[in-house]
Amino acid sequence: MTVVPIAFFLLGALITWLIRDRHTRTQWVVASVSAFIAWAYVLFLDVGSARSFGLSIWQPADLFQSPISFTIDTITWPLIYGAATVLLAVVLTCAAQPHAATAGARSFWFFYTGSALIAIMSANLLTVVIAWALMDFGALFFLLKISESDSARRSIFVRAGVNAVGVMVVFGAAMASDIQGITALDLASTSAAGILMLALAALLRLGLVPLHYALPTVEPLRREAGTLLRLFPPVVAISLLARVFDAGLPPGLRGIFLIAGGIGGIFGGLRWVLQDEMVRARPFFVLALVSLGLIIAVIAPDGAMVLVATGVLLLLVGAVLSLFAQHTPSHRVIPVLSAILLVGAPFTPGAIYAAAVANPETVVTEPLMSSLAVITAALLALGCIHLFFAAETPWPIGESLGRVMFNIGLILPILAALGIGLWRIQADYFRSGIFALTALVLGAGFFLGFRRLSTEHARRLRHLFQFIEPGRLYRLIWRVSQRALVELRGLGELFEGGSGMLWLFVFVIFLLLILL
């Protein structure tokens, strides 16, 4: 039963690819039905007790003592349900797009979602390494196939390099920890060095270290495949980081997380508020929300559940904001509902971190971080309200069925978030209400302050943040790496032909002199 959700999505990818020669309407119906079946199955999974499944295929057993294994528990279920909801929302809203995605792109949606589920449900570090590598390889292949410009390919390789470093760090943690068994990703016996490496790998994938590493815009699929590529990698890292917090955060990581979360929250929140185009500003929404969850997870007693709630909101609210389009006046309620979810209103997943910050003990012991959390939440909500004033655009299609499917796909993540808050996640609603009200009042103050800015001052402020765009650093790294490759190529030419034999003699003579 544990691997059935993964099988559903991988099977959906295969079926979508096999019917690629069918009519577009048939492909859309099959994709919608496949996504709905997988979503419904995950919705009604029983997670009263942890379920595990191991696939022992590695030989020899003395060398590979930990098989590929998966688990579903209170940490993983909200995240895999959120991922399934995001895919279903993407498929449904695709019906209103004038240029439907190709069968290959739709197949990639299912494959990438299945890979994300493998990573989230990984029950040991060996499976985490394999799952992360599978996700990265799939994303790299897809992006290289659809990219046409050299600048986009450069950013793709930079992103792939950062991800590869993260995978190698997890592999090093697995080697240092020597964790065995398939019951759960139990990090209680992991060494301090192993925990540190896991935390570093998670920060790399979250985009906090280095700050907001670049991913090229996926045109014309940035509202579809781009949504999955933006939201799934940080949620996968959150699932691993939740295990780290569940095992107990080493004291040395506390300061690192608070600094990374503080910088990411302010930088990402301001860039999200000053957005001039919502989809392009989506990475800063991810950065700000992840930073908010990380700050509260450090100062709260139950950091693991805070991160789970953050991951759920990242998936569901992030999907709504990615797919949002202002076609009718009724669509204006969507940004308002998104803002309410982000400030941690009662009966929502965000109530977990809202109640943790509103705890009097937390406010007294961590006044600076508590204030920073409220400010970040207010900026996130204000960025959503920014969309409330977006100009209406005409429907790109004339079919009423496509419009209905788009509306269902747009409201589905919000309903799913409310369902999780009412059904699966419990919090102190009085404290969460205090936090939400404070963040909304502060957001209203920010709104009035930004309204007083002239157009010229707002433009200058936006340009200031664009000037410190971290992408400049990555372009410098790319040029340095290209120069290093040229130098290495020149060094390699010394060992070709007759000069190679000469250098071999020099090396042998030098070795003999050392030995003698």
Side-chain angles (χ1 to χ4, degrees):
M1 300 294 289
T2 305
V3 296
V4 171
I6 299 173
F8 271 139
F9 288 109
L10 296 183
L11 183 61
L14 178 61
I15 294 175
T16 305
W17 175 251
L18 291 178
I19 64 170
R20 61 187 180 276
D21 295 329
R22 300 284 184 177
H23 193 273
T24 303
R25 187 181 299 273
T26 303
Q27 296 181 28
W28 177 80
V29 170
V30 172
S32 301
V33 172
S34 301
F36 176 78
I37 292 175
W39 174 81
Y41 180 85
V42 174
L43 173 62
F44 294 105
L45 273 176
D46 182 15
V47 291
S49 59
R51 298 172 179 267
S52 300
F53 176 82
L55 184 64
S56 183
I57 60 174
W58 300 97
Q59 296 294 332
D62 293 339
L63 183 60
F64 299 101
Q65 299 181 13
S66 296
I68 296 179
S69 53
F70 311 96
T71 185
I72 295 181
D73 54 13
T74 55
I75 289 179
T76 57
W77 182 86
L79 299 179
I80 65 175
Y81 174 65
T85 305
V86 170
L87 176 64
L88 181 57
V90 167
V91 173
L92 292 177
T93 54
C94 179
Q97 301 299 325
H99 304 289
T102 63
R106 293 181 181 179
S107 181
F108 172 77
W109 299 349
F110 284 89
F111 169 80
Y112 197 64
T113 305
S115 302
L117 261 64
I118 293 174
I120 294 172
M121 297 166 57
S122 297
N124 57 39
L125 293 180
L126 176 63
T127 313
V128 171
V129 171
I130 296 174
W132 284 24
L134 181 65
M135 285 186 65
D136 296 341
F137 179 78
L140 177 63
F141 178 80
F142 178 77
L143 290 172
L144 288 178
K145 184 177 180 180
I146 66 174
S147 298
E148 298 179 354
S149 64
D150 292 337
S151 61
R153 293 189 181 95
R154 285 195 295 268
S155 59
I156 290 171
F157 283 115
V158 170
R159 170 72 178 261
V162 174
N163 288 341
V165 172
V167 173
M168 295 304 298
V169 172
V170 176
F171 182 75
M175 296 291 292
S177 303
D178 191 26
I179 297 176
Q180 304 175 10
I182 64 172
T183 56
L185 189 58
D186 183 12
L187 303 181
S189 59
T190 306
S191 62
I195 292 292
L196 178 62
M197 286 189 283
L198 292 178
L200 176 59
L203 291 179
L204 287 170
R205 193 158 294 255
L206 288 172
L208 293 175
V209 179
L211 182 64
H212 170 51
Y213 54 84
L215 179 71
T217 302
V218 183
E219 296 284 2
L221 304 177
R222 58 180 183 165
R223 291 186 182 271
E224 300 160 2
T227 299
L228 307 182
L229 290 169
R230 285 291 187 192
L231 300 181
F232 285 173
V235 168
V236 165
I238 284 176
S239 66
L240 179 61
L241 206 56
R243 301 293 186 185
V244 173
F245 276 84
D246 194 39
L249 186 66
L253 290 177
R254 178 183 172 87
I256 296 176
F257 283 172
L258 290 179
I259 293 173
I263 296 175
I266 296 300
F267 178 79
L270 288 174
R271 285 297 303 268
W272 171 242
V273 170
L274 295 172
Q275 59 175 304
D276 52 358
E277 205 275 332
M278 184 267 297
V279 177
R280 294 187 183 277
R282 182 172 50 193
F284 303 104
F285 165 80
V286 175
L287 180 65
L289 183 54
V290 166
S291 301
L292 172 65
L294 190 61
I295 291 172
I296 301 176
V298 174
I299 64 178
D302 191 1
M305 290 310 299
V306 168
L307 288 174
V308 170
T310 304
V312 171
L313 288 179
L314 178 62
L315 284 170
L316 299 179
V317 180
V320 171
L321 298 176
S322 296
L323 303 173
F324 176 78
Q326 184 71 35
H327 295 314
T328 65
S330 61
H331 286 162
R332 297 190 186 276
V333 74
I334 300 296
V336 176
L337 293 176
S338 300
I340 292 175
L341 289 173
L342 290 173
V343 297
F347 307 105
T348 66
I352 292 290
Y353 60 65
V357 176
N359 188 337
E361 295 181 1
T362 304
V363 174
V364 172
T365 57
E366 298 287 348
L368 177 60
M369 291 296 107
S370 300
S371 302
L372 189 59
V374 177
I375 293 173
T376 304
L379 292 175
L380 284 167
L382 183 58
C384 295
I385 299 300
H386 182 90
L387 301 178
F388 179 85
F389 301 97
E392 292 186 18
T393 58
W395 282 99
I397 61 170
E399 297 183 2
S400 58
L401 178 61
R403 297 181 181 182
V404 171
M405 292 298 101
F406 177 84
N407 291 330
I408 293 175
L410 201 59
I411 198 65
L412 177 64
I414 292 179
L415 295 178
L418 293 175
I420 293 177
L422 291 170
W423 183 21
R424 296 292 180 96
I425 296 181
Q426 302 295 327
D428 188 317
Y429 300 128
F430 177 74
R431 292 177 179 175
S432 62
I434 293 176
F435 178 90
L437 183 61
T438 305
L440 289 176
V441 171
L442 185 60
F446 286 153
F447 175 78
L448 295 177
F450 283 114
R451 291 279 291 182
R452 292 180 178 273
L453 291 177
S454 63
T455 304
E456 180 63 22
H457 284 90
R459 184 184 63 83
R460 290 180 179 179
L461 189 60
R462 186 180 295 113
H463 285 175
L464 173 63
F465 278 93
Q466 290 176 351
F467 178 76
I468 59 175
E469 168 65 43
R472 298 174 182 268
L473 176 62
Y474 307 130
R475 287 190 289 271
L476 176 62
I477 294 174
W478 175 262
R479 290 195 293 267
V480 172
S481 62
Q482 290 292 98
R483 183 61 183 175
L485 289 176
V486 172
E487 297 297 332
L488 289 176
R489 188 181 299 113
L491 182 62
E493 292 175 355
L494 295 176
F495 296 93
E496 295 180 1
S499 61
M501 183 63 68
L502 177 61
W503 280 106
L504 179 61
F505 282 123
V506 171
F507 175 76
V508 171
I509 294 173
F510 181 73
L511 184 62
L512 290 175
L513 289 175
I514 294 177
L515 296 177
L516 296 177

